[in-house]
Amino acid sequence: MHTDLRVKHDIEARKKAAELFGKGRGYKSVAKELSMSRSTVRKWQQIWKAFGSEALLSMDGKPARYTYGQKVVAAKAVVEDGMSKGDAMARYGIMSLAPLDRWCRAYRKGGAEALRPKPKGRPKGSGAAARPLTREQQLERRVQ
């Protein structure tokens, strides 16, 4: 049987957490009851508040992909308009606080342009300078 190592906690733990959140319990008491770290349960609570139990239970460990437009609108709402991060997550469909934090930092530094996708791969001409030929290589070239 194959176990997905990207998902650290099984569905039963997330199901129990969603049930306890539904009863009005906070992340600290849920973390204590489930014997889990507070930070993990706090993230789950944010997802549960923003998207409901279905999203919490369907987490598969794969990082979500967001468009340039989603990033700009969400970061602008938090940085310039004063929207709370939780509200921005719910409104713009962001499943985690970590990317929103990164986008807000980048937006503060460089505006919307800082959130543009970066080109992938190594830039052209970035290779190291050619090494000088050894004495043997110089002689071989002369012979050819």
Side-chain angles (χ1 to χ4, degrees):
M1 185 170 104
H2 178 0
T3 303
D4 190 354
L5 298 176
R6 292 175 300 197
V7 180
K8 192 172 183 179
H9 303 286
D10 65 354
I11 188 117
E12 293 304 317
R14 288 182 276 139
K15 197 179 285 187
K16 181 69 176 170
E19 180 184 312
L20 294 171
F21 294 146
K23 292 179 180 178
R25 302 268 301 271
Y27 74 93
K28 290 178 186 175
S29 68
V30 172
K32 189 173 184 176
E33 182 165 328
L34 297 177
S35 300
M36 295 176 57
S37 74
R38 285 183 178 180
S39 63
T40 299
V41 177
R42 185 173 187 196
K43 288 174 191 173
W44 288 359
Q45 186 182 39
Q46 289 171 335
I47 292 169
W48 179 81
K49 280 182 178 178
F51 304 104
S53 296
E54 298 81 29
L56 183 61
L57 299 177
S58 67
M59 291 173 23
D60 60 0
K62 295 177 188 172
R65 296 236 180 236
Y66 301 102
T67 65
Y68 168 72
Q70 279 178 298
K71 294 175 185 181
V72 171
V73 171
K76 182 181 183 295
V78 172
V79 173
E80 292 181 7
D81 302 337
M83 182 183 286
S84 75
K85 289 180 181 176
D87 291 343
M89 286 172 61
R91 179 174 291 171
Y92 301 111
I94 301 164
M95 292 292 290
S96 176
L97 186 60
L100 184 58
D101 282 338
R102 279 194 310 274
W103 303 339
C104 290
R105 276 194 305 274
Y107 189 84
R108 283 185 193 102
K109 281 185 181 179
E113 285 303 308
L115 297 173
R116 284 222 180 264
K118 308 294 185 272
K120 303 290 182 202
R122 187 175 292 167
K124 291 185 180 190
S126 68
R131 285 191 243 156
L133 297 176
T134 64
R135 177 81 175 135
E136 289 176 359
Q137 291 170 331
Q138 289 173 350
L139 293 173
E140 265 183 45
R141 282 215 176 148
R142 241 192 239 172
V143 170
Q144 290 175 354

